[in-house]
Amino acid sequence: MNAQMVLTMGQDALLLLLMVSAPVLGAALLVGLLVSLFQAVTQIHEATLAFVPKLVAVIAVFAIAGPWMLTMLVEYIRRTLESIPSAVA
């Protein structure tokens, strides 16, 4: 295993991390922004009003994008495990 293989595997892992976390983080960001805007307009400052919609949105994204996320992670692990013999040799 040379330095180039290690850097490529690390780069692939970081890219996968960004791709898998982006839908969840994007949904939480969008809902948080909308709730904050709503709270600023109505001057309602309730802590649960900021937390519950984000939680519901994240659960919905996991329900919708969860299979895709799991497939991406399983494929990465499969590729990594299959590359072990070539890395050892």
Side-chain angles (χ1 to χ4, degrees):
M1 177 176 263
N2 57 16
Q4 183 63 34
M5 287 179 68
V6 172
L7 291 175
T8 302
M9 288 176 66
Q11 183 179 9
D12 289 346
L14 288 175
L15 183 62
L16 179 71
L17 175 71
L18 287 174
M19 286 176 36
V20 169
S21 65
V24 175
L25 293 176
L29 176 75
L30 182 65
V31 170
L33 183 65
L34 293 175
V35 168
S36 296
L37 185 65
F38 176 75
Q39 284 181 331
V41 169
T42 61
Q43 294 183 353
I44 298 173
H45 298 291
E46 181 66 31
T48 57
L49 186 62
F51 180 71
V52 173
K54 281 193 263 186
L55 182 64
V56 170
V58 167
I59 290 172
V61 168
F62 272 127
I64 294 168
W68 171 77
M69 297 161 103
L70 187 62
T71 302
M72 294 291 290
L73 290 169
V74 167
E75 284 297 315
Y76 176 75
I77 293 296
R78 184 188 56 77
R79 281 193 320 256
T80 303
L81 291 176
E82 286 176 353
S83 70
I84 289 175
S86 65
V88 174

